[in-house]
Amino acid sequence: MAEPQHKDEKSFRGIPVSTGVCRGKILVLGRARPTIARRQVADGDLAEEVNRLEKALVQTRHQILDVQRKVSEGMGAQEGGIFEAHLLVLEDRTLLDEVVRVIQQQKVNAEHAFHTVAERYAAMLSVIEDEYLRERASDMRDVTMRVLNNLLGVEEDADLRHLKEPCIIISHDLSPSNTAQLDKRHVLGFATDVGSRTSHTAIMARSLRIPAVVGLKDASAQLVNGQQVLLDGHNGLLIVNPTDQTLFEYGQLILRQATLQQRLRDLLHEPAITLDGHRVLVHANIEQAADAEQVKANGAEGVGLFRTEYLFLNRDRLPGEEQQYQAYRDAAVALKPLMVVIRTLDLGGDKFLAHMQMPTELNPFLGWRAIRISLQERDIFRAQLRAILRASAEGNLRMMYPMISGLDELKQANALLEEYKEELRQEKVPFDEKLEVGAMIETPSAAIVADSLAKRVSFFSIGTNDLIQYSLAVDRMNEKIAHLYEPTHPAIVRLIKVTVEAAHNHKVRVSVCGEMAGDPVLAPLLLGLGVDELSAAPSLVPPLKFLIRRLKLTEARELADFALDCESASDIQARCQEHARQIAPGLFEDK
């Protein structure tokens, strides 16, 4: 909602997804959509409608491949990979066969049939109310619009490639296709009514390094072209008609941010040691071996989470043992002697394979996913474990299993690992006989039986995103209950403490690799609870090290003691914020 600040100044608050501050005139993109009329088609013309559909699909595929190539060249392979999801929509035989069936049985035009079926699919994904699945709905609508435009022979509503002057884009939403067109010379930043931190559009904004804010509710409906605004990507604010005082304050903020960035660069290669001499390892989370450069560039001390499922997604076929071995080996060699923790396949829930028959589930996060898939699909698990073992001979690798919910799963996984080790011994293939194996603590059941698990692993990694979701039964992207998603909920604090105590009783180290680990406000609480290592996105490593080097572990433990005795999540959050701002105020500068 709009927040009045001055008789001429108005601000909208949203979610910051790409840092920075910019000022300029706005360009408001309309929400116009082509009118999709339903036409009855004679029997003799039905084949031509199907032919029109196929031509439009081919044309759309060429367009998406062209966008993908340009994005890969301009931003990188990871950003270009976003469009693999779009290409998969065009290859989804279930969807396309349904469109053809509607054309033939209802005797209607291709536009109407495609729009009807695709929108039904997108609506089904949206209803699940999980942020990743919601993004898939956005992907589907993006592709749908391209196909419909090609069927109708119309151009896209907004051509962002030929802007004449610098502007800030305001829109209800920006599809990845629209974002890919943004020219940094003319697009200073953008803001949208909807979206999340992990949306494809947000990812691309960070790659472009332009300020971006999402989740502004209805800003696009209230604003008009040409208005002067200031976009604050640090705090998630869009300020319309900023006063001279506001502009002065933001000028000071920009200067302070520049000073802070220089201080962060100065300590990139310094260790994260508290003021009272406690060493904390700060690692990075990655998705592919190519991310190794970002790990080193941001001063991380290794990789605490290598998400291997991204080797499997958006491919025509499963990667074999050799392909996986090369990817894991590349990461190990690139970062040697730094540690790399490889997480075995975490499919299901929000990530699916197009070529695997995944069951339709009412709640995929409580269904067939992660270690459950690996233990049943033994051929897939065998190829991955053998690849990891082989790569362990080339660098400092560790391995961990996702979504362990009890001791039986851990025993089964370890038994298979030993079986595949013996295979390699028989084949005289080298691997690290002392490869450390860990378990992710992401469910309340795993935390409660952590003592039993700790006897059989070398380390724990707490995935706080899922631990919070499963413990509090809250989908944070569901606007009706998002306020209940509380990382500082007393139950979460106590589950982390129980896990750490069980681990340390068996001399097992504990890392946190969820979003809590990358939040400077919550990092002191985690360290006070006894967590040994933090792992976050590479770009978050410098501010974490900056904060840790200004922290006393004794004070962090006092903060944890307060949290363990407290009954209020908001009180714990407030105390964490107060403490973090006291020790590292520069990290939390706002207007």
Side-chain angles (χ1 to χ4, degrees), residues 357-416:
Q357 293 301 310
M358 303 292 286
T360 301
E361 300 176 302
L362 290 177
N363 192 332
F365 280 89
L366 298 181
W368 198 49
R369 64 167 296 197
I371 196 65
R372 298 169 183 176
I373 293 177
S374 294
L375 291 176
Q376 290 186 35
E377 298 291 333
R378 297 289 177 86
D379 289 344
I380 295 175
F381 202 31
R382 177 177 179 271
Q384 180 166 47
L385 293 186
R386 283 174 56 96
I388 294 171
L389 286 167
R390 290 170 57 196
S392 70
E394 305 290 343
N396 184 10
L397 290 190
R398 296 182 188 176
M399 185 189 78
M400 63 183 178
Y401 310 118
M403 283 301 298
I404 293 293
S405 60
L407 186 55
D408 285 347
E409 289 173 337
L410 180 59
K411 284 182 173 180
Q412 289 179 58
N414 278 340
L416 290 172

Side-chain angles (χ1 to χ4, degrees), residues 4 153 155 246-247 284 294 344 354 362 388 392 474 495 536 588:
E155 295 292 327
T246 297
L247 293 176
Q294 283 297 309
T344 62
L362 290 177
I388 294 171
S392 70
V474 172
L495 284 172
F588 308 99

Side-chain angles (χ1 to χ4, degrees), residues 524-525 554-564 572 575-576 579:
L525 174 61
T554 53
E555 294 175 351
R557 286 172 175 161
E558 290 174 5
L559 176 64
D561 289 341
F562 167 81
L564 289 166
I572 298 172
R575 179 67 71 90
C576 289
H579 182 246

Side-chain angles (χ1 to χ4, degrees), residues 505-520:
N505 285 341
H506 296 280
K507 297 183 169 39
V508 166
R509 291 179 65 82
V510 180
S511 172
V512 174
C513 64
E515 283 189 18
M516 283 182 73
D519 187 343

Side-chain angles (χ1 to χ4, degrees), residues 278-292:
H278 180 70
R279 181 83 154 85
V280 180
L281 293 177
V282 183
H283 299 141
N285 300 335
I286 67 171
E287 297 172 358
Q288 55 187 345
D291 295 335

Side-chain angles (χ1 to χ4, degrees), residues 325 329 332-333 336 387-397 429-433 435:
Y325 163 69
R329 178 190 177 280
V333 170
K336 190 176 182 179
I388 294 171
L389 286 167
R390 290 170 57 196
S392 70
E394 305 290 343
N396 184 10
L397 290 190
V429 175
F431 65 90
D432 181 2
E433 289 280 0
L435 175 70

Side-chain angles (χ1 to χ4, degrees), residues 308-345:
T308 60
E309 54 273 10
Y310 290 92
L311 294 170
F312 290 73
L313 297 172
N314 305 326
R315 301 175 61 101
D316 293 333
R317 60 180 62 86
L318 289 168
E321 178 183 326
E322 194 62 31
Q323 289 174 293
Q324 293 185 67
Y325 163 69
Q326 290 296 335
Y328 308 148
R329 178 190 177 280
D330 287 349
V333 170
L335 290 165
K336 190 176 182 179
L338 299 180
M339 177 194 73
V340 177
V341 178
I342 298 179
R343 180 178 70 185
T344 62
L345 202 52

